[in-house]
Amino acid sequence: MTEKTTDLIISKLLDASSIEHYAESCPIEEINKAMVSKRGTGKKGFPEYLAISGDFVIVIEDKAKVEDQAKYLKDNETLLMDTSSVTKYAENGALHYALSIIQNTNFKKVIAFGCSGTDEKRIVIRPIYVSPTGYKILPKVKDFSQFSTENIERYYNEIICGNESIERVELKTILSRAKTLHEDLRNYGQLGDSEKPLVVSAILLALEEKDFSTENLTGDSIKTDGQKIFDAMSAHWKE
């Protein structure tokens, strides 16, 4: 089992996430020209894979042996960037190419991946976010699904920037609106605790009726909003 085995596994995982990738070079010449050899010769360098996903450049370096995944300083947060470490270790090499892109192109958001192993079920994949202000070592991942065009912005916002998830924001909004509804039903509707759930349930059932909309609730004194809700709910039940 050789590094070529690792290359094939990584390519397969990228395909599974619909990430178009290129071996060693990519169609963007600006990026190709930025690649500098890991050996410090000043010549052109070639990572295993390059890809573009949304506003991000993806650069991948891999090794066959898991023990060649990375070499850190004692703090386990700083990757060694001497020629030996960059050449031998996957994460160090990936960071080298990512820094080349940051320093020599107009692309300023790069996710570098150090990958190692020849067993598809036990492959090691570590993302590193690289920007002009530095780099951030991120938790290992099982595949590249979070880095597809559809998902990478969410990964950036939640994992890299530490913002709240969409679901969490939505939950907070729902809870806030539920609290407001609870207070309005009590203060303006003069409803007790046993009555409020019935009103909410009635509204939800009324909304299932295609001809009913909350825009119909206008405070009409001839046909009250309560009557409109009741009629829509009744029609839904009959259907």
Side-chain angles (χ1 to χ4, degrees), residues 52-122:
I52 303 294
S53 184
D55 294 330
F56 299 82
V57 178
I58 290 174
V59 57
I60 298 172
E61 185 76 357
D62 60 50
K63 300 293 179 182
K65 297 179 180 179
V66 173
E67 52 264 37
D68 291 339
Q69 173 67 20
K71 189 173 184 179
Y72 290 82
L73 288 175
K74 291 182 179 180
D75 62 6
N76 288 326
E77 295 179 357
T78 306
L79 287 161
L80 289 168
M81 297 305 290
D82 58 278
T83 301
S84 176
S85 299
V86 166
T87 303
K88 183 176 180 181
Y89 297 96
E91 290 180 28
N92 306 66
L95 177 58
H96 165 82
Y97 287 122
L99 290 172
S100 294
I101 294 170
I102 291 293
Q103 293 164 4
N104 301 307
T105 75
N106 291 315
F107 294 90
K108 301 305 177 186
K109 289 182 179 180
V110 181
I111 300 181
F113 290 89
C115 310
S116 64
T118 54
D119 183 341
E120 186 171 347
K121 295 182 179 179
R122 306 172 79 174

Side-chain angles (χ1 to χ4, degrees), residues 124-147:
V124 178
I125 305 174
R126 168 85 74 183
I128 305 164
Y129 176 67
V130 187
S131 71
T133 59
Y135 66 90
K136 182 177 182 179
I137 308 295
L138 301 165
K140 295 175 182 176
V141 294
K142 294 181 179 180
D143 55 37
F144 297 97
S145 58
Q146 297 178 86
F147 306 95

Side-chain angles (χ1 to χ4, degrees), residues 41-57:
T41 61
K43 295 182 179 180
K44 192 173 178 62
F46 301 95
E48 259 68 59
Y49 296 108
L50 285 162
I52 303 294
S53 184
D55 294 330
F56 299 82
V57 178

